[in-house]
C-alpha cells in the first residue's frame, strides 16, 4: 500500500501509522512458524514446545529520556534499567503471557562511566523481581560504541493459553483497566519544568512521586495473565495514551469503545493538585498521557474482574460504514458533519465534544 507523496515525504510528515503502512508491505511478515505477525503488542511464533511471544523496544537519549532534565533531576542507570524492563514486560503481559527472557543491546558513547552500566543491569534485574516477572532473566545481548546512548531490549514470553490480541473485542464487552492513568505524563511535565517554576507550588514529595512515575513506571505485569484467565478477548499496553490505545483496540476489532468518565474520576482527583500547580487540566493527562504502561482489556460482560482491575467503559457497535482499520482514522463521517466518526467516545460523545476543546489523542513517535 502506498500513499500520495510517499517517495518524497519524511517520517515526521507522515506519522507512525502511515509509516507502518509504508514499511510492512515490503517486509516478509509470514512464515511457517509465525502465528501472529506485526500489529499487536507482541509477535507470536510456534515452537515444538508451544507458543512464544516476543517484543522489542528502544530507548534513545533526548528522544525517550534525558540524562539531566530541565527540573534538575538526573536519570540514573538504575532508572533506565527499570524503565527498559517495564515497557517491555508490559507488552508481554498485554498478550496474556509470562515474561521469561530478555536480551539487551547497549550503544554507549566512549565517555560513559562503567558504573552506569552496572547500575543499568541492577535496575533491569530489580525490575523483574519488583514487577512480578520472577521467571524472567537476562540471557544475552550486545555492547557497542556510538555517538549517542541507546538501549534496545527484546523480551520473550511463554503462552499458557491462546494469546490475547487487540482484535477480539466484541459489542457488549466490558472495557477494563489495570494500573494507573496520567501519572507518568504528569511526571514528564514536572521533569520538563524549569526550576524555579510553577511546579514549585506542589509539595516536593508529590513532585518526586510524579517524577518516579515517569522514570520508573509500575506496570501491573501479573494482571496480564489474570486477565487472560478471566476471559479477556482483547488487550494491550497503554503506552501512548488511553484514547489512542483504546482506538487501536476499537479499529482492530471493528467496534466503538465508549469510556465512562465517572470511572476515571479517581485518576483525575489524584492529579488535581498537580494540575492546579502546572495550569493543566488533569483530564488531559488521564486521557492522553502515555508511559504508565497499564493494561487495557475487554472482558465478556459476565466475567469476574481480577483483583486490581476496574471497569472503565464498554464496547458498542461501530458505525456501519466504519469497518475494520489498523491504526488510521475511521473514514465514515458522522451524520451532519465532516468529521470522521470516532472509534472512541466519552459518555457517547466525541472526545473533543465531551472536553469542550480539541484534543490530541496521544503520543506518536514521528509527529512533530
Amino acid at each position: 500500500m502506498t500513499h500520495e507523496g510517499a517517495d518524497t515525504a519524511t517520517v515526521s510528515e507522515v506519522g507512525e501509522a502511515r509509516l507502518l503502512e509504508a514499511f510492512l508491505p515490503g517486509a516478509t511478515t509470514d512464515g511457517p512458524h509465525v502465528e501472529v505477525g506485526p500489529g499487536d503488542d507482541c509477535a507470536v511464533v510456534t515452537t515444538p514446545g508451544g507458543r512464544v511471544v516476543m517484543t522489542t523496544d528502544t530507548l534513545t537519549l533526548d528522544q525517550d529520556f534525558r540524562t539531566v532534565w530541565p527540573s534538575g533531576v538526573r536519570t540514573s542507570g538504575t532508572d533506565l534499567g527499570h524503565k527498559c524492563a517495564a515497557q517491555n514486560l508490559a507488552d508481554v503481559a498485554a498478550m496474556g503471557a509470562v515474561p521469561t527472557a530478555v536480551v539487551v543491546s547497549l550503544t554507549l558513547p566512549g565517555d560513559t562511566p562503567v558504573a552506569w552500566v552496572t547500575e543499568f543491569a541492577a535496575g533491569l534485574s530489580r525490575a523483574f523481581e519488583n514487577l512480578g516477572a520472577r521467571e524472567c532473566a537476562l540471557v544475552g545481548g550486545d555492547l557497542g560504541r556510538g555517538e549517542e546512548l541507546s538501549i534496545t531490549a527484546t523480551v520473550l514470553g511463554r503462552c499458557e493459553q491462546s494469546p490475547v490480541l487487540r482484535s477480539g473485542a466484541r459489542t457488549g464487552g466490558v472495557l477494563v483497566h489495570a494500573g494507573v492513568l496520567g501519572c507518568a505524563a504528569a511526571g514528564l511535565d514536572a521533569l520538563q519544568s524549569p526550576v524555579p517554576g510553577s511546579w514549585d507550588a506542589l509539595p516536593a514529595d508529590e513532585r518526586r512521586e510524579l517524577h518516579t512515575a515517569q522514570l520508573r513506571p509500575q506496570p501491573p505485569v501479573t494482571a496480564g495473565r489474570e486477565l487472560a484467565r478471566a476471559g479477556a478477548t482483547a488487550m494491550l499496553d497503554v503506552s501512548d495514551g488511553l484514547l489512542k490505545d483504546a482506538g487501536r483496540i476499537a479499529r482492530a476489532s471493528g467496534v466503538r469503545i465508549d469510556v465512562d468518565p465517572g470511572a476515571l474520576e479517581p485518576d483525575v482527583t489524584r492529579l488535581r493538585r498537580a494540575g492546579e500547580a502546572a495550569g493543566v487540566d488533569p483530564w488531559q493527562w488521564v486521557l492522553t498521557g502515555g508511559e504508565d504502561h497499564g493494561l487495557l482489556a475487554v472482558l465478556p460482560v459476565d466475567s469476574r474482574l481480577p483483583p486490581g482491575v476496574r471497569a472503565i467503559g464498554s464496547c458498542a457497535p461501530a458505525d456501519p460504514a466504519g469497518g475494520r482499520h489498523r491504526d488510521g482514522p475511521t473514514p465514515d463521517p458522522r451524520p451532519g458533519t465532516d468529521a470522521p466518526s470516532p472509534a472512541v467516545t466519552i459518555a457517547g460523545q466525541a472526545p473533543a465534544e465531551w472536553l469542550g476543546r480539541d484534543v490530541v489523542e496521544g503520543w506518536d513517535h514521528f509527529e512533530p
Side-chain angles (χ1 to χ4, degrees):
M1 181 185 298
T2 60
H3 57 79
E4 184 178 353
D7 292 338
T8 59
T10 65
V11 295
S12 63
E13 292 170 335
V14 300
E16 185 173 1
R18 290 176 65 192
L19 186 62
L20 284 171
E21 291 177 1
F23 176 85
L24 290 175
T28 300
T29 58
D30 58 1
H33 302 294
V34 179
E35 182 170 325
V36 178
D40 278 86
D41 288 66
C42 293
V44 182
V45 298
T46 57
T47 68
R51 296 182 179 99
V52 175
V53 305
M54 59 184 68
T55 186
T56 191
D57 212 337
T58 297
L59 291 166
T60 302
L61 179 64
D62 293 332
Q63 174 67 25
D64 301 295
F65 67 92
R66 295 185 181 187
T67 52
V68 182
W69 296 86
S71 61
V73 173
R74 292 181 176 272
T75 303
S76 68
T78 305
D79 292 332
L80 282 170
H82 178 104
K83 188 163 187 172
C84 174
Q87 64 185 27
N88 284 281
L89 295 175
D91 279 339
V92 171
M95 304 295 287
V98 178
T100 56
V102 59
V103 293
V104 175
S105 174
L106 294 179
T107 300
L108 304 167
D111 60 356
T112 304
V114 173
W116 184 95
V117 179
T118 302
E119 290 175 2
F120 175 86
L124 188 80
S125 298
R126 288 174 195 160
F128 296 157
E129 178 72 22
N130 295 338
L131 297 175
R134 294 177 177 84
E135 293 186 28
C136 198
L138 177 66
V139 296
D142 182 58
L143 296 174
R145 181 168 177 166
E147 294 299 317
E148 63 181 8
L149 176 61
S150 181
I151 304 156
T152 298
T154 298
V155 178
L156 307 180
R158 62 179 175 85
C159 288
E160 297 178 337
Q161 59 230 338
S162 296
V164 185
L165 309 183
R166 302 178 182 187
S167 54
R170 296 293 178 262
T171 297
V174 179
L175 184 71
V176 301
H177 180 265
V180 299
L181 287 166
C183 292
L188 179 62
D189 281 357
L191 287 166
Q192 291 180 330
S193 177
V195 176
S198 59
W199 280 89
D200 295 347
L202 192 69
D205 59 337
E206 292 188 36
R207 290 203 306 277
R208 282 194 296 269
E209 287 180 8
L210 294 178
H211 294 162
T212 300
Q214 168 60 218
L215 298 174
R216 300 190 188 189
Q218 302 290 316
V221 174
T222 58
R225 178 166 52 175
E226 296 307 312
L227 282 162
R229 289 173 173 173
T233 60
M235 183 156 52
L236 54 60
D237 152 39
V238 183
S239 57
D240 295 329
L242 176 62
L243 293 181
K244 193 174 192 92
D245 288 323
R248 287 174 169 146
I249 289 179
R251 294 182 181 102
S253 301
V255 300
R256 175 173 59 86
I257 286 179
D258 189 51
V259 175
D260 174 11
L264 304 181
E265 283 289 352
D267 304 272
V268 174
T269 299
R270 181 188 301 117
L271 297 170
R272 185 83 65 191
R273 289 209 300 178
E276 291 171 355
V280 174
D281 181 353
W283 279 105
Q284 176 179 320
W285 291 325
V286 170
L287 292 173
T288 70
E291 296 192 294
D292 288 304
H293 298 292
L295 299 179
L296 189 68
V298 175
L299 290 173
V301 69
D302 56 352
S303 295
R304 187 171 183 175
L305 297 184
V309 175
R310 55 183 174 152
I312 65 167
S314 59
C315 295
D319 291 325
R324 290 172 181 256
H325 305 277
R326 269 184 68 96
D327 251 4
T330 306
D332 54 303
R334 284 170 282 156
T337 77
D338 293 326
S341 301
V344 181
T345 54
I346 304 174
Q349 295 181 285
E353 294 173 356
W354 188 83
L355 285 167
R357 65 176 186 277
D358 290 338
V359 57
V360 177
E361 290 191 352
W363 170 253
D364 187 309
H365 292 277
F366 296 99
E367 287 183 355

